[in-house]
Amino acid sequence: MDQNFTELNPNDLPTESGHFGIYGGMYVPETLMTPLYELNQAYQDAKKDPDFNQTLKAYLKEFAGRPTNLYFAERLTEYCKGAKIYLKREDLLHTGAHKINNAIGQALLAKRMGKKRIIAETGAGQHGIATASICAKFGLECVIYMGEEDMRRQALNVFRMRLCGAEVRGVSAGQKTLKEAVNEAMRDWVTNVRNTHYIIGSALGSHPFPMMVRDFHRVIGEEARSQILEKEGRLPDEICACVGGGSNAIGLFFPFLKDKDVRLTGVEAGGRAIKNGEHAARFVGGKLGVLQGAKTWILQTEDGQIDATHSVSAGLDYAAVGPEHAFYKDKGRIDFGYASDEEALNAFKTLCKVEGIVPALETAHGIAYAIKRAKELSKESLILCNLSGRGDKDVQEAARVLGEDL
Ligand SMILES: *Cc1c(COP(=O)(O)O)cnc(C)c1O
């Protein structure tokens, strides 16, 4: 643990060019520098504008359904015979995951900047659906880039986006998944930046996105912090969340950063095994590199080419981790672990069985860790885990992997 951590003021981060220590930054084509600076300026202005904040709050309440419950998982606690487990119910939000917090925030910002066209990338489809929904609500033109392999696996989500009026454009390059969809969205943005805003779906990419996406998800941690104080009269001993790009985790963790007695743990996807191409645990198998705008921990080959990744959950299946997580890992403020495909599937089944809650497969990685950790801790301890999304989208894939007929 870095002794000086509590003297850092997290609100002062990142620097003007978006560096979290050595991480982050703006590694983009020159044509994007001006629009990114404009976006940053617009965001900094909006952040200080009471009208913007009030409107944002109203949509989070009326459209998305905030605040979400902090739920005592009584039967899961009994099952673990250890620490008391609380779940932050982001799965109860409109469109089924935390993604809508950021989609609403950035769509409002786009409106403020006078941009009438929205583009986004999506992997499993959760971010695409959140973006398509808010664009329908605001009457904004919406184009979603999605790898053709993901379109095949998530056909229902493609239809859902189209129902909401979005155009879904398939991407056939490379592995035909999320990374290629991001490349295609960036290409579109460079060409159409005058009338277009690119809503990135996680705490990734060039400055100001990691910071801005984090800020739109901070509400998760702010609510959770006051809810646990109200229910238990104290802060939890540990909080945990799954980490793909890292948006649900940083949103939950950020308001607890200065509470030095609260342990923060991010859970990456361990996949089939910690071997090249078989997992997405960047802090275990990765190295420092640059991908899609930011310097961070990345899974790569000896030559520095981006490595293939695997996870049972599409939302964690990405070669880079959000730069702010890399920064706090170095500071010793956030710990990272991983859950394998098998551990996540077991946690998925357990939560269904003992609580009647079907979590997303991404979320199940965080739950797997919470179960393991609760068993190690005493009954007086408190664990708070983010239930980042619901698993309706995953039941078919879970049935396939678990070898059951639907
Ligand atoms: C997209 C997604 C994730 C992973 O993204 P983060 O940016 O790491 O939060 C996790 N859980 C759910 C339910 C998702 O939809």
Side-chain angles (χ1 to χ4, degrees):
M1 184 74 172
D2 185 331
Q3 295 301 312
N4 292 327
F5 176 76
T6 49
E7 289 164 29
L8 274 176
N9 182 356
N11 294 320
D12 291 338
L13 295 168
T15 63
E16 249 166 69
S17 51
H19 285 93
F20 301 89
I22 62 166
Y23 304 106
M26 305 178 80
Y27 296 87
V28 294
E30 222 169 304
T31 38
L32 280 181
M33 289 304 279
T34 305
L36 284 167
Y37 279 128
E38 277 170 16
L39 176 62
N40 189 39
Q41 196 54 54
Y43 179 55
Q44 298 302 339
D45 292 346
K47 220 164 138 171
K48 288 183 224 117
D49 178 354
D51 283 345
F52 180 85
N53 286 305
Q54 209 161 27
T55 310
L56 175 60
K57 212 171 157 185
Y59 280 106
L60 287 174
K61 178 168 182 274
E62 304 294 338
F63 188 68
R66 301 209 75 88
T68 59
N69 298 335
L70 183 69
Y71 169 81
F72 172 41
E74 192 172 359
R75 291 244 302 146
L76 187 64
T77 300
E78 280 167 19
Y79 169 89
C80 295
K81 300 188 174 63
K84 252 175 130 169
I85 302 173
Y86 279 89
L87 302 173
K88 181 63 174 156
R89 298 291 306 272
E90 295 295 293
D91 61 315
L92 296 178
L93 288 175
H94 177 48
T95 69
H98 67 288
K99 300 252 170 27
I100 192 77
N101 300 323
N102 171 53
I104 292 175
Q106 288 200 47
L108 279 172
L109 197 60
K111 274 189 19 168
R112 184 180 166 101
M113 295 175 76
K115 312 244 166 166
K116 299 202 168 12
R117 180 173 177 269
I118 297 292
I119 58 170
E121 84 294 339
T122 198
Q126 285 298 109
H127 177 55
I129 284 171
T131 303
S133 300
I134 195 64
C135 286
K137 172 81 195 157
F138 288 165
L140 297 166
E141 186 187 340
C142 180
V143 175
I144 305 290
Y145 288 93
M146 190 168 185
E148 283 181 353
E149 177 58 20
D150 288 333
M151 284 178 74
R152 186 190 60 75
R153 288 190 289 194
Q154 300 286 344
L156 199 68
N157 281 345
V158 174
F159 182 59
R160 230 175 119 183
M161 288 180 248
R162 286 180 175 148
L163 276 176
C164 292
E167 180 193 336
V168 182
R169 291 190 188 164
V171 179
S172 60
Q175 278 193 303
K176 306 179 191 188
T177 60
L178 182 62
K179 175 163 64 75
E180 292 78 23
V182 174
N183 283 340
E184 219 42 56
M186 299 257 251
R187 209 160 289 155
D188 180 318
W189 204 36
V190 171
T191 318
N192 300 302
V193 71
R194 213 173 289 256
N195 70 339
T196 299
H197 175 63
Y198 175 17
I199 303 189
I200 290 185
S202 189
L204 284 167
S206 167
H207 180 64
F209 284 105
M211 171 192 72
M212 186 167 73
V213 174
R214 173 200 74 201
D215 284 345
F216 286 135
H217 284 302
R218 268 163 76 164
V219 63
I220 305 171
E222 283 159 9
E223 285 176 8
R225 199 173 182 286
S226 65
Q227 286 166 323
I228 194 81
L229 285 173
E230 189 175 310
K231 284 179 193 263
E232 290 284 342
R234 72 175 184 95
L235 294 174
D237 298 287
E238 181 159 351
I239 64 182
C240 62
C242 65
V243 178
S247 68
N248 88 89
I250 201 70
L252 177 65
F253 293 168
F254 198 79
F256 292 90
L257 280 172
K258 287 181 179 176
D259 302 313
K260 62 181 186 336
D261 293 333
V262 180
R263 186 174 176 211
L264 310 175
T265 306
V267 186
E268 296 185 282
R272 286 186 285 252
I274 302 295
K275 284 195 225 152
N276 278 40
E278 295 288 303
H279 70 101
R282 289 69 44 107
F283 287 126
V284 185
K287 287 187 296 199
L288 187 64
V290 170
L291 180 62
Q292 296 175 331
K295 188 187 276 183
T296 183
W297 285 62
I298 293 167
L299 292 168
Q300 49 193 302
T301 64
E302 294 277 299
D303 306 333
Q305 294 299 312
I306 304 309
D307 227 336
T309 51
H310 161 81
S311 169
V312 69
S313 64
L316 306 186
D317 197 354
Y318 185 68
V321 67
E324 192 167 3
H325 286 282
F327 176 73
Y328 293 126
K329 177 181 162 45
D330 284 1
K331 291 276 161 206
R333 184 62 190 99
I334 303 181
D335 294 314
F336 289 86
Y338 61 85
S340 68
D341 283 358
E342 194 186 339
E343 288 169 320
L345 283 161
N346 284 335
F348 174 87
K349 286 194 284 188
T350 302
L351 196 68
C352 293
K353 208 162 273 180
V354 306
E355 292 288 350
I357 297 171
V358 182
L361 283 174
E362 290 83 3
T363 312
H365 288 71
I367 302 292
Y369 175 81
I371 290 173
K372 191 160 74 177
R373 190 72 181 130
K375 289 177 178 173
E376 295 169 359
L377 295 173
S378 74
K379 294 198 164 150
E380 287 71 47
S381 307
L382 296 177
I383 293 187
L384 194 164
C385 183
N386 205 17
L387 223 177
S388 55
R390 67 177 185 231
D392 304 43
K393 69 182 177 61
D394 292 321
V395 284
Q396 202 164 1
E397 180 65 5
R400 192 182 69 77
V401 181
L402 296 169
E404 287 176 33
D405 287 332
L406 272 187

